[in-house]
Amino acid sequence: MELSEIIPHIEALIFASEKPLTALDIVELINTAFGFMEERITLDQVESCVEGIREKYQSEFYAFELRQSGGGWQFLTKKEFYKTIAQLNGDKFLKRLSTAALETLAIIAYKQPVTKGEIESIRGVNSDYSIQKLLEKELIIISGRNEQMPGKPLIYVTSKIFMDYFGINSPEDLPKIREVFAEQLVEPTMIKGEDAVLLIEENIIEESDLAVNINGDLIPNGDEETSKREDDDAPSE
C-alpha cells in the first residue's frame, strides 16, 4: 500500500481507540485487517505516516492534534480550547485530586518504586486513604512487594493511566525537581547608576551598590552582618 492509502487507516485507528496506540500496535492492527496483502506494511512506514499526520494537525485550522502521550499516540484537543470543553460536564469535569492525594502521587512519581511506609515518612502523616483513592483512579498500581524489608510491604509505582493523564510517556519525562524550584528562586538584584544615586541623596543608604537578599529586603551589597548570617546558615563542611 502507498503511504497515502495507509494514513486514513492510521487516523481511524487512533481516533477510535480508547487507549494510546504505539506504532507497533498500528502495524499489527493494519496488517491483521489487510492480511490478504502480499506486502505487509512496516514500522518505518507507519512512523513516517504518523509524523505526517502529526504535522497535518498542527495547523491552526484544527482544534485537536496528534500527540504522543501515555506511551502511545492519540488525538487530543489543543490546550487553548480547555475552558470551552470544560463546559461539557461542568464541575464533574473540573474535579481535581485533593492536596493530600497530589502530595502522595508526587512522592510515588518521583520516588518509585516506593512503599507506604516510605511515603508516610516523607509526608509525616498516614497515607492509607490517599493511596486507596489513587488506586481507585488507577493513577498508581501495586508492582509487587519489597522482599528486603520487614513484613515485605507492597510497592507502588505510577501507571500508564498516570502518564496519559499528565501527558507524558514515561516517569523520566517528569520535570526535574531542580527545574521546578528554579522558577521560585529569587536572584539578587543589583541596583546601580541613577537609582542608587537617588537613594543615596535621600539618605536611605550610604554610597554603595545595593542588593536584594533572599527575604526580599533591600540591603547594601557586601554587608558584613548579612554575609556572616548567610555563612552561619550554610551547612558546615
Side-chain angles (χ1 to χ4, degrees):
M1 294 177 69
E2 298 291 333
L3 293 185
S4 58
E5 297 177 276
I6 299 173
I7 285 176
H9 293 280
I10 295 176
E11 290 182 328
L13 284 170
I14 296 174
F15 180 81
S17 178
E18 294 181 353
K19 63 178 183 179
L21 290 179
T22 66
L24 285 172
D25 291 333
I26 295 169
V27 170
E28 182 178 350
L29 289 166
I30 293 180
N31 281 332
T32 300
F34 295 90
F36 58 86
M37 292 192 313
E38 293 182 1
E39 294 186 7
R40 298 170 66 83
I41 65 169
T42 66
L43 180 60
D44 287 342
Q45 286 178 308
V46 168
E47 288 178 341
S48 295
C49 290
V50 166
E51 182 60 26
I53 296 170
R54 189 185 66 81
E55 292 180 359
K56 169 185 174 181
Y57 289 102
Q58 283 182 336
S59 168
E60 294 181 358
F61 179 78
Y62 298 101
F64 52 88
E65 61 187 343
L66 182 65
R67 288 187 56 187
Q68 195 169 22
S69 174
W73 293 98
Q74 57 182 320
F75 283 114
L76 300 173
T77 49
K78 295 177 180 176
K79 61 182 180 180
E80 52 262 40
F81 300 103
Y82 168 77
K83 289 185 178 179
T84 303
I85 297 169
Q87 306 310 308
L88 284 174
N89 296 306
D91 294 338
K92 181 180 178 182
F93 184 87
L94 295 171
K95 189 173 181 180
R96 294 179 174 86
L97 293 171
S98 66
T99 300
L102 279 174
E103 288 177 358
T104 303
L105 182 58
I107 292 169
I108 295 172
Y110 282 99
K111 294 289 187 179
Q112 61 184 313
V114 63
T115 65
K116 184 171 79 74
E118 291 170 327
I119 295 169
E120 291 176 342
S121 69
I122 295 173
R123 293 194 65 221
V125 295
N126 184 285
S127 299
D128 286 340
Y129 183 77
S130 295
I131 290 174
Q132 183 59 38
K133 284 299 179 183
L134 294 173
L135 285 170
E136 290 176 3
K137 294 179 181 294
E138 299 181 333
L139 292 172
I140 63 172
I141 59 173
I142 299 171
S143 66
R145 291 182 178 274
N146 189 326
E147 302 290 340
Q148 309 302 318
M149 295 181 69
K152 299 179 180 179
L154 296 172
I155 297 173
Y156 299 96
V157 297
T158 52
S159 65
K160 286 188 176 181
I161 292 178
F162 165 84
M163 292 189 292
D164 186 22
Y165 189 88
F166 287 96
I168 60 176
N169 294 300
S170 73
E172 286 70 32
D173 293 335
L174 287 167
K176 301 296 183 289
I177 295 294
R178 186 179 303 172
E179 295 173 357
V180 174
F181 283 102
E183 298 179 359
Q184 303 177 21
L185 294 177
V186 178
E187 295 294 334
T189 302
M190 302 302 297
I191 301 180
K192 297 183 177 181
E194 296 180 359
D195 292 335
V197 171
L198 179 61
L199 293 173
I200 293 168
E201 290 177 349
E202 294 179 358
N203 295 321
I204 295 176
I205 62 163
E206 297 178 357
E207 186 170 359
S208 173
D209 291 334
L210 295 181
V212 176
N213 66 14
I214 196 169
N215 298 317
D217 302 321
L218 193 64
I219 60 170
N221 185 36
D223 183 84
E224 293 182 359
E225 181 180 351
T226 302
S227 299
K228 182 178 184 300
R229 184 167 61 250
E230 292 175 350
D231 290 340
D232 290 342
D233 291 340
S236 58
E237 297 182 354

